[in-house]
């Protein structure tokens, strides 16, 4: 992949030699290959959220359009991670996440495309860890593509940790003669970080091709495992974008993510301080994958007013956090051009159906006047 290459569907599922942007060529190690999994470049368009300060322009990059079952930000990381798995002659991929993990769903699908089996360790409540997890949202796709699902309670996850859990499963599968490749939570390691270093290059190229000279002052994105914000922040800092990156954390506190992102940057020998390249805001609310009624109402209002459907776990909380920040200090955002990166996760909405039902209501039984002629068989039901 080069700066001048144009991805096309003819390249889908092909392995390619990787060449980094010139401004990232000093980072080490540089990946040798990628697998083309995402539909790129994803579009950027104006996003007219109500209530923005005077002169403020909000734009949105639709990384929810990277595919269907492979949609969202995770697939950009998987392009690098799955290439390494294949290079290592793995026959099995292991990863871990929450019960409605978008990353696990994308990993299961990508593994299936590449003829690798997948094992997903999914975190759920203690009461549900011994029951069939069902077929809601991401679980439906994961189980359709044949992923092996291993349930773990939140209490066990908390006391053991994701690394020890994936290593335990890896050892078990190795004893069975498998060759497993482990991908961490969210695909967020130094190799996965290259996915959003590449996204920064993609944004650069998109802006260069515009006749209006558009340049962004700020980039806003959700933060759930840290890899996306590490890549886009480093890419913006090193490359031509030079936009201030704002990350809205949906689980752990900002201090945790500053330290975690620093580890990813150090793993690339980037030589930069995480606190210099990204501003992390706390947007977790009630906790990871838990929503307040105000957050869900916001998701509904955004969909009704702009047609953009946000997920409730990541981009919904990030956009809600952004609007709250703007409302608190509108002068600070006046006249700025902001790019919001939509990281996908539509399937997560299916897990919120009961909570959102009261927000709907725009339906009725159609009342057809008696004066309208009726004759059996006129209406064909295809």
């Amino acid at each position: 992949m080069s700066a001048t290459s144009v991805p096309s569907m003819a390249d889908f599922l092909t392995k390619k030699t990787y060449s980094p942007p010139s401004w990232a060529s000093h980072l080490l190690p540089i990946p040798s290959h990628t697998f083309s999994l995402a539909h790129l470049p994803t579009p950027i368009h104006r996003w007219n959220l109500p209530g923005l300060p005077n002169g403020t322009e909000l734009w949105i990059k639709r990384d929810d359009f990277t595919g269907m079952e492979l949609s969202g930000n995770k697939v950009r990381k998987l392009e690098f991670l799955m290439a390494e798995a294949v290079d290592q002659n793995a026959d099995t991929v292991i990863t871990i996440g929450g019960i409605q993990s978008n990353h696990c769903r994308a990993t299961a699908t990508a593994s299936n495309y590449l003829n690798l089996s997948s094992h997903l360790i999914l975190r759920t409540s203690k009461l549900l860890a011994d029951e069939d997890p069902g077929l809601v949202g991401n679980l439906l796709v994961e189980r359709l593509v044949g992923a092996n699902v291993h349930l773990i309670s939140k209490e066990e996850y908390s006391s053991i940790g994701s690394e020890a859990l994936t290593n335990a499963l890896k050892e078990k599968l190795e004893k069975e003669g498998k060759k497993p490749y482990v991908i961490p939570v969210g695909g967020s390691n130094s190799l996965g970080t290259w996915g959003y270093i590449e996204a920064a290059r993609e944004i650069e190229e998109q802006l260069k091709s515009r006749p209006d000279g558009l340049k962004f002052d700020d980039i806003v994105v959700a933060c759930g495992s840290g890899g996306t914000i590490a890549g886009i922040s480093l890419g913006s800092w090193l490359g031509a974008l030079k936009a201030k990156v704002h990350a809205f954390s949906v689980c752990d506190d900002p201090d945790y993510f500053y330290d975690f992102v620093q580890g990813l940057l150090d793993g690339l020998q980037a030589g930069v301080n995480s606190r210099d390249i990204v501003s992390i805001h706390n947007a977790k609310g009630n906790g990871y994958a838990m929503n307040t009624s105000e957050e869900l109402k916001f998701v509904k209002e955004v969909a009704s007013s702009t047609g953009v459907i946000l997920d409730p776990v990541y981009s919904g909380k990030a956009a809600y956090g952004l609007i709250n920040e703007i409302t608190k200090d509108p002068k600070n955002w006046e006249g700025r051009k902001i790019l919001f990166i939509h990281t996908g996760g539509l399937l997560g909405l299916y897990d919120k159906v009961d909570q959102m039902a009261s927000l709907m209501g725009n339906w009725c039984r159609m009342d057809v006047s008696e004066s309208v002629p009726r004759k059996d068989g006129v209406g064909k039901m295809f």
Side-chain angles (χ1 to χ4, degrees), residues 94-112:
I94 299 169
T95 197
I96 187 167
I99 192 69
Q100 283 294 332
S101 169
N102 300 305
H103 162 70
C104 288
R105 176 254 306 151
T107 301
T109 303
S111 298
N112 211 345

Side-chain angles (χ1 to χ4, degrees), residues 42-47 49 52 56-63 76 196 199-207 210 214-222 232 236 241 243-248 315 318-319 322 326 333 336-343:
T42 56
I44 294 173
H45 63 82
R46 282 291 293 272
W47 192 25
L49 282 185
L52 294 175
T56 302
E57 290 184 12
L58 182 60
W59 297 70
I60 185 169
K61 182 163 177 63
R62 303 300 300 271
D63 273 12
R76 289 188 185 267
Y196 270 82
R201 166 156 66 178
E202 181 177 298
I203 297 167
E204 280 186 12
E205 293 298 313
Q206 287 175 295
L207 294 182
R210 293 180 63 94
L214 177 64
K215 184 173 175 61
F216 295 116
D217 302 299
D218 304 274
I219 293 174
V220 175
V221 67
I232 196 66
S236 182
L241 292 177
K244 182 177 181 180
V245 178
H246 304 263
F248 286 83
S315 290
L322 171 63
I326 290 175
W333 298 86
R336 299 185 73 82
K337 292 179 173 62
I338 307 165
L339 177 65
F340 183 92
I341 300 177
H342 189 329
T343 53

